[in-house]
Amino acid sequence: MAEDEQAPETKLTSTKRRCAAAGKFLTGRIARPETDRLPPGQHLVKDWPVLDLGQQPHLTLESWRLDVTGLVENSLSLDWSAFQALPQSDSLSDIHCVTTWSRYDNRWRGVATRDLLDQAMPMPEAEYVLLTSYDGYTTNLPLADFAAEDAILATTWEGEPITRAHGGPMRLIVPHLYFWKSAKWLRRIDLRAADAAGFWERNGYHMRGDPWSEERYSGD
Ligand SMILES: Nc1nc2c(c(=O)[nH]1)N[C@H]1C(S)=C(S)[C@@H](COP(=O)(O)O)O[C@H]1N2
Ligand SMILES: [Mo]
């Protein structure tokens, strides 16, 4: 076949494409060999650095809310007790920050993003989420990544409430993407048909941010 001819769609590629379309919630299962645990260009730390825009909001559980908006059948606006009434899950995962530190084996408890999405019921057109936090931070990610099996709206770390500095009372954890996607002090989850850049994504960071393919900056 000549180089410039379009390859005909094979049975395999068409099946793969259909799975990719239907499998929104089936991606994100992490089954990497142990040797591949530390992504390229990362080094391990034992402490847990604090990184943010420098405005750490003081939130009270009485006034806290989480909204789920956009392309969902059921818009949600949950107060703290409604959020706590959702199924609670545990998740053990590694952190990979784009500034090159990684931290293994963090034990989280909270609401699995899938359990929240089960309540909100995303419409078929929903492909991306744009997250907004109480400090004004925003970040975007594909819905499939947000809905990964081990992604969690975490309220505790190592059995203790997440501190304000680390995003308490609730922050997102999406372990298989760089940590800037894991919004602290999460306020709103907006489901969308199209991708829209968040804070760091408008400032040169990658739209997806996969650590194993070093998607650090928008040119990567
Ligand atoms: N709301 C909010 N979430 C945020 C940020 C932020 O500035 N505001 N910074 C991101 C970045 S760049 C990183 S590396 C991690 C840091 O989380 P940590 O301070 O708990 O280590 O939070 C991410 N989530
Ligand atoms: Mo970061």
Side-chain angles (χ1 to χ4, degrees), residues 110-125:
V111 175
T113 55
R114 288 181 181 196
D115 288 327
L116 185 76
L117 291 170
D118 280 350
Q119 302 280 319
M121 300 207 295
M123 294 177 183
E125 313 85 83

mmCIF file of all heavy atoms in Angstrom, residues 110-125:
data_model
loop_
_atom_site.group_PDB
_atom_site.id
_atom_site.type_symbol
_atom_site.label_atom_id
_atom_site.label_comp_id
_atom_site.label_asym_id
_atom_site.label_seq_id
_atom_site.Cartn_x
_atom_site.Cartn_y
_atom_site.Cartn_z
ATOM 1 N N GLY A 110 -13.059 8.781 51.188
ATOM 2 C CA GLY A 110 -13.995 9.799 50.733
ATOM 3 C C GLY A 110 -14.989 9.186 49.767
ATOM 4 O O GLY A 110 -15.314 8.001 49.875
ATOM 5 N N VAL A 111 -15.458 9.990 48.817
ATOM 6 C CA VAL A 111 -16.480 9.540 47.871
ATOM 7 C C VAL A 111 -15.807 9.283 46.520
ATOM 8 O O VAL A 111 -15.193 10.196 45.947
ATOM 9 C CB VAL A 111 -17.592 10.599 47.741
ATOM 10 C CG1 VAL A 111 -18.597 10.196 46.667
ATOM 11 C CG2 VAL A 111 -18.285 10.811 49.089
ATOM 12 N N ALA A 112 -15.912 8.061 46.024
ATOM 13 C CA ALA A 112 -15.362 7.759 44.692
ATOM 14 C C ALA A 112 -16.076 8.637 43.663
ATOM 15 O O ALA A 112 -17.296 8.816 43.735
ATOM 16 C CB ALA A 112 -15.566 6.281 44.369
ATOM 17 N N THR A 113 -15.302 9.188 42.719
ATOM 18 C CA THR A 113 -15.932 10.065 41.720
ATOM 19 C C THR A 113 -17.048 9.314 40.987
ATOM 20 O O THR A 113 -18.056 9.906 40.618
ATOM 21 C CB THR A 113 -14.894 10.591 40.714
ATOM 22 O OG1 THR A 113 -14.207 9.486 40.133
ATOM 23 C CG2 THR A 113 -13.901 11.526 41.393
ATOM 24 N N ARG A 114 -16.889 8.015 40.799
ATOM 25 C CA ARG A 114 -17.932 7.229 40.114
ATOM 26 C C ARG A 114 -19.242 7.224 40.892
ATOM 27 O O ARG A 114 -20.324 7.212 40.300
ATOM 28 C CB ARG A 114 -17.482 5.788 39.928
ATOM 29 C CG ARG A 114 -16.414 5.668 38.897
ATOM 30 C CD ARG A 114 -16.011 4.233 38.712
ATOM 31 N NE ARG A 114 -14.955 4.202 37.724
ATOM 32 C CZ ARG A 114 -14.569 3.112 37.081
ATOM 33 N NH1 ARG A 114 -15.158 1.955 37.326
ATOM 34 N NH2 ARG A 114 -13.610 3.163 36.200
ATOM 35 N N ASP A 115 -19.128 7.184 42.218
ATOM 36 C CA ASP A 115 -20.352 7.175 43.022
ATOM 37 C C ASP A 115 -21.063 8.517 42.948
ATOM 38 O O ASP A 115 -22.291 8.582 42.956
ATOM 39 C CB ASP A 115 -20.023 6.789 44.467
ATOM 40 C CG ASP A 115 -19.674 5.301 44.579
ATOM 41 O OD1 ASP A 115 -20.256 4.509 43.816
ATOM 42 O OD2 ASP A 115 -18.814 4.951 45.397
ATOM 43 N N LEU A 116 -20.298 9.601 42.863
ATOM 44 C CA LEU A 116 -20.920 10.912 42.681
ATOM 45 C C LEU A 116 -21.578 11.002 41.297
ATOM 46 O O LEU A 116 -22.717 11.470 41.158
ATOM 47 C CB LEU A 116 -19.881 12.024 42.835
ATOM 48 C CG LEU A 116 -20.478 13.429 42.769
ATOM 49 C CD1 LEU A 116 -21.182 13.769 44.080
ATOM 50 C CD2 LEU A 116 -19.423 14.475 42.447
ATOM 51 N N LEU A 117 -20.872 10.514 40.276
ATOM 52 C CA LEU A 117 -21.413 10.569 38.910
ATOM 53 C C LEU A 117 -22.667 9.706 38.778
ATOM 54 O O LEU A 117 -23.580 10.037 38.016
ATOM 55 C CB LEU A 117 -20.349 10.137 37.903
ATOM 56 C CG LEU A 117 -19.185 11.128 37.748
ATOM 57 C CD1 LEU A 117 -18.056 10.510 36.931
ATOM 58 C CD2 LEU A 117 -19.647 12.443 37.117
ATOM 59 N N ASP A 118 -22.738 8.604 39.532
ATOM 60 C CA ASP A 118 -23.953 7.777 39.514
ATOM 61 C C ASP A 118 -25.165 8.588 39.948
ATOM 62 O O ASP A 118 -26.270 8.357 39.478
ATOM 63 C CB ASP A 118 -23.804 6.585 40.466
ATOM 64 C CG ASP A 118 -22.995 5.449 39.840
ATOM 65 O OD1 ASP A 118 -22.731 5.517 38.626
ATOM 66 O OD2 ASP A 118 -22.646 4.513 40.587
ATOM 67 N N GLN A 119 -24.959 9.512 40.881
ATOM 68 C CA GLN A 119 -26.061 10.368 41.347
ATOM 69 C C GLN A 119 -26.387 11.437 40.311
ATOM 70 O O GLN A 119 -27.549 11.768 40.090
ATOM 71 C CB GLN A 119 -25.669 11.076 42.648
ATOM 72 C CG GLN A 119 -25.290 10.160 43.778
ATOM 73 C CD GLN A 119 -26.502 9.594 44.466
ATOM 74 O OE1 GLN A 119 -27.475 10.304 44.677
ATOM 75 N NE2 GLN A 119 -26.453 8.317 44.788
ATOM 76 N N ALA A 120 -25.344 11.994 39.699
ATOM 77 C CA ALA A 120 -25.548 13.120 38.774
ATOM 78 C C ALA A 120 -25.996 12.653 37.390
ATOM 79 O O ALA A 120 -26.679 13.391 36.685
ATOM 80 C CB ALA A 120 -24.261 13.928 38.662
ATOM 81 N N MET A 121 -25.606 11.459 37.005
ATOM 82 C CA MET A 121 -25.948 10.874 35.704
ATOM 83 C C MET A 121 -25.529 11.744 34.513
ATOM 84 O O MET A 121 -26.339 12.494 33.939
ATOM 85 C CB MET A 121 -27.448 10.563 35.647
ATOM 86 C CG MET A 121 -27.870 9.581 36.723
ATOM 87 S SD MET A 121 -29.305 8.626 36.279
ATOM 88 C CE MET A 121 -30.548 9.892 36.177
ATOM 89 N N PRO A 122 -24.271 11.640 34.107
ATOM 90 C CA PRO A 122 -23.766 12.395 32.967
ATOM 91 C C PRO A 122 -24.552 12.074 31.699
ATOM 92 O O PRO A 122 -24.936 10.933 31.468
ATOM 93 C CB PRO A 122 -22.321 11.899 32.816
ATOM 94 C CG PRO A 122 -21.962 11.332 34.136
ATOM 95 C CD PRO A 122 -23.232 10.812 34.741
ATOM 96 N N MET A 123 -24.794 13.095 30.898
ATOM 97 C CA MET A 123 -25.426 12.880 29.593
ATOM 98 C C MET A 123 -24.374 12.312 28.640
ATOM 99 O O MET A 123 -23.173 12.493 28.843
ATOM 100 C CB MET A 123 -25.941 14.214 29.065
ATOM 101 C CG MET A 123 -27.072 14.771 29.910
ATOM 102 S SD MET A 123 -27.583 16.387 29.271
ATOM 103 C CE MET A 123 -28.824 16.824 30.495
ATOM 104 N N PRO A 124 -24.837 11.635 27.563
ATOM 105 C CA PRO A 124 -23.880 11.022 26.626
ATOM 106 C C PRO A 124 -22.900 12.035 26.030
ATOM 107 O O PRO A 124 -21.763 11.669 25.717
ATOM 108 C CB PRO A 124 -24.775 10.436 25.532
ATOM 109 C CG PRO A 124 -26.137 10.367 26.106
ATOM 110 C CD PRO A 124 -26.235 11.351 27.213
ATOM 111 N N GLU A 125 -23.303 13.284 25.897
ATOM 112 C CA GLU A 125 -22.419 14.295 25.280
ATOM 113 C C GLU A 125 -21.328 14.770 26.224
ATOM 114 O O GLU A 125 -20.394 15.459 25.789
ATOM 115 C CB GLU A 125 -23.220 15.533 24.838
ATOM 116 C CG GLU A 125 -24.490 15.253 24.072
ATOM 117 C CD GLU A 125 -25.668 15.001 25.004
ATOM 118 O OE1 GLU A 125 -26.292 15.951 25.488
ATOM 119 O OE2 GLU A 125 -25.958 13.801 25.257
#
